[in-house]
Amino acid sequence: MNQKVNQYQQLIGSYTGKLLRDHFGKGPESISVSMGGHFVTMYLRNFLTPSERVLLEQDHEMIIHQMREKLTQMMIPEITSYIQLVTGVKPSEFYYDWALHNKSGMLVGFVPEGFEEAPEVNENYEGKQRLEQEINKISRLVQREPDEIYSCELNARTIVIIRKGILVRIEKELIRLGHGELLKGVKRNLEKTYMHNNNNFDEILNR
């Protein structure tokens, strides 16, 4: 990886850490930023505020997700604008999620034109076909098998998986009626239950 990309990653990580501190009152212990192809990812370690810790101990996980949803939505435009300022290209889509049980989080940005200086992603990584089959199986258990699935290895620690066409008609209707947040919370919990209790990923990826 070239020096310019390393500099981009350090700048983006530092800026995002400051934003999190400004909005949440506490930032993560560290942020690992990775760039490759069309993707930028940020892995947050040890990120849980004192008030969130109290809510978590009282089993109010949904309240934490609701608060983080609103604060993160406020931050995304600032992060995307800063990435454009630093790299010259702007993410058109941004996704995020939290693993409160281990105080971690992930932000993922998609850039249509790609990062010119960043390394190419590996679309033929070991275990790709079997991993996609496993993800399709989990999707079937929770909702439906996706119309399309794409995956690539960003680096030795990060595999990006994109699923298109996973909503069933009743879910689309719930979103139309304004219940998207409730649906997202329910699906998040269901999918994570299957993901975290899955013993096949290590064997499939041989790591």
Side-chain angles (χ1 to χ4, degrees):
M1 188 179 299
N2 64 45
Q3 188 174 354
K4 185 175 282 189
V5 173
N6 279 331
Q7 185 182 21
Y8 289 165
Q9 292 177 167
Q10 289 171 9
L11 288 169
I12 292 167
S14 177
Y15 180 82
T16 304
K18 181 181 182 302
L19 264 186
L20 288 163
R21 285 193 297 276
D22 290 345
H23 283 77
F24 287 87
K26 178 186 183 300
E29 184 179 284
S30 65
I31 301 180
S32 297
V33 181
S34 299
M35 296 170 66
H38 296 271
F39 304 102
V40 55
T41 66
M42 300 175 223
Y43 180 68
L44 284 55
R45 290 185 182 86
N46 196 17
F47 180 52
L48 193 71
T49 68
S51 58
E52 289 175 335
R53 185 176 291 108
V54 172
L55 287 168
L56 199 58
E57 289 169 355
Q58 297 176 354
D59 295 323
H60 293 311
E61 189 171 323
M62 185 63 76
I63 295 175
I64 300 174
H65 279 292
Q66 289 171 345
M67 289 193 305
R68 287 196 174 191
E69 180 81 19
K70 295 185 186 307
L71 290 171
T72 309
Q73 284 288 348
M74 292 168 59
M75 289 172 48
I76 293 300
E78 297 179 69
I79 295 173
T80 54
S81 295
Y82 185 76
I83 290 173
Q84 183 180 30
L85 179 69
V86 170
T87 67
V89 291
K90 185 177 183 178
S92 62
E93 301 171 43
F94 231 96
Y95 302 91
Y96 50 89
D97 197 16
W98 317 103
L100 298 176
H101 65 286
N102 64 6
K103 298 182 283 188
S104 67
M106 179 70 87
L107 309 176
V108 181
F110 174 76
V111 178
E113 57 269 67
F115 294 103
E116 191 174 325
E117 297 89 353
E120 289 298 313
V121 297
N122 178 12
E123 295 184 342
N124 297 302
Y125 60 89
E126 180 184 357
K128 175 186 174 79
Q129 186 176 2
R130 289 183 61 201
L131 179 65
E132 291 182 355
Q133 289 172 348
E134 192 70 18
I135 295 298
N136 280 339
K137 186 174 80 174
I138 292 171
S139 293
R140 282 197 303 273
L141 289 169
V142 177
Q143 56 238 323
R144 59 174 290 228
E145 188 168 318
D147 295 331
E148 296 177 48
I149 187 167
Y150 166 83
S151 69
C152 65
E153 184 182 59
L154 199 59
N155 54 46
R157 300 186 310 274
T158 310
I159 289 176
V160 176
I161 301 173
I162 299 173
R163 296 174 299 162
K164 293 184 178 180
I166 58 170
L167 294 177
V168 297
R169 288 179 63 184
I170 192 169
E171 292 173 330
K172 293 177 182 178
E173 186 64 13
L174 283 168
I175 292 170
R176 190 185 70 81
L177 293 172
H179 302 300
E181 285 307 310
L182 176 62
L183 178 64
K184 187 190 294 185
V186 171
K187 291 183 72 167
R188 177 196 294 122
N189 290 341
L190 276 173
E191 288 199 331
K192 285 185 177 178
T193 297
Y194 286 110
M195 291 279 189
H196 293 163
N197 294 327
N198 191 305
N199 297 317
N200 297 327
F201 294 131
D202 293 357
E203 188 263 328
I204 289 171
L205 297 170
N206 194 28
R207 67 182 93 170

